[in-house]
Amino acid sequence: MDNITFLGKQLKNPLVLASGILGNNAKILERVHQAGCGLVTLKSIGPAPRDGHKNPTVIDLGGGMINAVGLPTPGYDHMDAEWQALANRDFPVNASIYGGSVAEFVKVAQFVSDQGPDFIEINISCPNSDLHGMLFGVDEKAAFAVTNAVKNVIAVPLIAKLTPAAPDIGKIAKVCEDAGADAICAINTAGPGMVIDIEARTPVLAFKKGGLSGPMIKPVAVRCVYDIYRAVSIPIIGLGGVTTGEDAVEMFMAGATLVGMGSAVRYRGIHVFEQVNRELTDWLAAHHCTRDDIIGAAHDPIAGPDSTAKKSRKTP
Ligand SMILES: Cc1cc2nc3c(=O)[nH]c(=O)nc-3n(C[C@H](O)[C@H](O)[C@H](O)COP(=O)(O)O)c2cc1C
């Protein structure tokens, strides 16, 4: 699969590196691009330096991972070397940001927009100090406020990244669309979950609870993308548990325009992008169809790719 147009930008394929998996080093991200990734997402950048949680922060559960990394960040204005290196890049970048309040999101977004990313993704799955520890992404008013405020201060398309913790993720996605989001990214990690060391009689993660990712959350992610597709007409980056070309097909059928991978990079290495791209291309060829034919196909399997529901959507 190659040459996708997404929100007016050319991508070499529809595969996306998820945020937080390989950091913000331009050289490493360039290698990921060379290894077949269409769009790389930066690790979420916050308003001030933050260490994150103590180790252990990531545990492989087999079939998925649990993590409580705790959003470590140098802070948006302590990244001169990274911004300089990224300014000279020749690959598309999605810059993920977070804040503890709308004002913090706006401050980070304004600065990051000036650094010339291709897209800005707001991670609205982090605690909102304005709402006493709630997530922006589970509260309709908070989701609208932050999306709208960020949209007003940036010069690039805005992607809202949602949490499966929302009781009605379709509603949150619609609120973000109404507030000016150009695309939705779903999902962030699921849970939170906990793993207990029964001999030590204690939770294994230092932070005790953590978010689940990898193959074990794929059905949750597919359901979320399906619900979002029915609620909005903007494009969706579908991620959560995608590891193979067939997983990507499932995400497209749920309604994704692009498909992201995070944990799969740990399981299959950075070449997972070219491998999944090849698997996807082979699947489409074997089934005599294109990516366009299968986007949203699970919503109207009898009417197929020519259904009116599909035709009425905005083109990405
Ligand atoms: C170790 C780790 C760190 C992560 N850090 C971030 C982050 O900084 N910002 C963010 O939006 N998502 C973060 N995520 C969530 C991923 O971007 C992704 O949404 C999630 O892992 C589901 O996709 P996957 O099953 O393909 O990994 C992180 C996930 C992991 C495993």
Side-chain angles (χ1 to χ4, degrees):
M1 283 242 52
D2 40 34
N3 293 328
I4 300 294
T5 305
F6 178 70
L7 303 177
K9 294 276 177 179
Q10 284 293 117
L11 308 182
K12 68 177 174 182
N13 64 47
L15 301 179
V16 181
L17 170 69
S19 178
I21 305 301
L22 289 171
N24 291 340
N25 179 291
K27 282 256 175 303
I28 293 173
L29 297 174
E30 185 178 20
R31 279 178 49 209
V32 178
H33 177 69
Q34 285 164 355
C37 178
L39 173 63
V40 299
T41 309
L42 302 184
K43 166 81 187 160
S44 294
I45 298 159
R50 183 181 151 93
D51 289 338
H53 299 315
K54 291 195 170 60
N55 282 324
T57 52
V58 184
I59 303 165
D60 191 337
L61 304 173
M65 306 193 309
I66 185 165
N67 92 82
V69 175
L71 290 170
T73 179
Y76 71 100
D77 56 350
H78 294 82
M79 293 176 52
D80 290 354
E82 286 94 335
W83 293 128
Q84 248 167 43
L86 285 167
N88 299 321
R89 72 185 185 275
D90 59 359
F91 55 92
V93 160
N94 179 22
S96 171
I97 64 164
Y98 72 90
S101 63
V102 172
E104 283 185 354
F105 263 102
V106 165
K107 189 170 63 174
V108 179
Q110 243 167 347
F111 182 93
V112 170
S113 177
D114 289 344
Q115 311 310 310
D118 296 275
F119 311 101
I120 289 184
E121 180 173 288
I122 45 172
N123 175 2
I124 56 173
S125 319
C126 55
N128 173 357
S129 57
D130 284 354
L131 287 177
H132 310 290
M134 259 173 73
L135 305 177
F136 282 97
V138 299
D139 181 87
E140 287 171 43
K141 277 194 188 137
F144 186 95
V146 69
T147 305
N148 196 246
V150 169
K151 178 70 182 174
N152 287 334
V153 296
I154 63 174
V156 296
L158 174 61
I159 302 168
K161 181 165 179 184
L162 305 189
T163 167
D168 184 342
I169 198 166
K171 241 185 209 160
I172 298 289
K174 180 74 175 84
V175 158
C176 292
E177 179 181 40
D178 291 345
D182 298 287
I184 300 292
C185 176
I187 56 174
N188 210 314
T189 50
M194 180 184 282
V195 176
I196 293 174
D197 179 331
I198 55 172
E199 299 305 330
R201 303 183 179 205
T202 182
V204 181
L205 288 171
F207 190 65
K208 297 186 172 65
K209 301 171 187 179
L212 300 168
S213 64
M216 64 171 66
I217 70 163
K218 191 178 57 126
V220 177
V222 169
R223 187 269 301 166
C224 288
V225 170
Y226 186 94
D227 286 350
I228 294 166
Y229 185 82
R230 297 186 91 76
V232 302
S233 60
I234 50 179
I236 305 162
I237 302 176
L239 85 158
V242 174
T243 312
T244 66
E246 290 192 358
D247 294 339
V249 169
E250 198 177 346
M251 274 297 179
F252 287 126
M253 288 189 175
T257 299
L258 304 183
V259 170
M261 288 187 279
S263 303
V265 177
R266 294 216 173 194
Y267 291 124
R268 295 183 71 183
I270 60 169
H271 293 283
V272 68
F273 291 100
E274 58 201 13
Q275 290 160 1
V276 167
N277 199 26
R278 198 177 323 116
E279 291 160 9
L280 175 60
T281 307
D282 289 349
W283 192 94
L284 291 171
H287 292 78
H288 309 291
C289 57
T290 66
R291 167 178 151 275
D292 275 353
D293 293 336
I294 61 168
I295 293 176
H299 292 261
D300 199 359
I302 295 168
D306 293 329
S307 76
T308 48
K310 196 169 182 311
K311 276 185 184 151
S312 68
R313 299 180 66 82
K314 286 178 195 166
T315 45

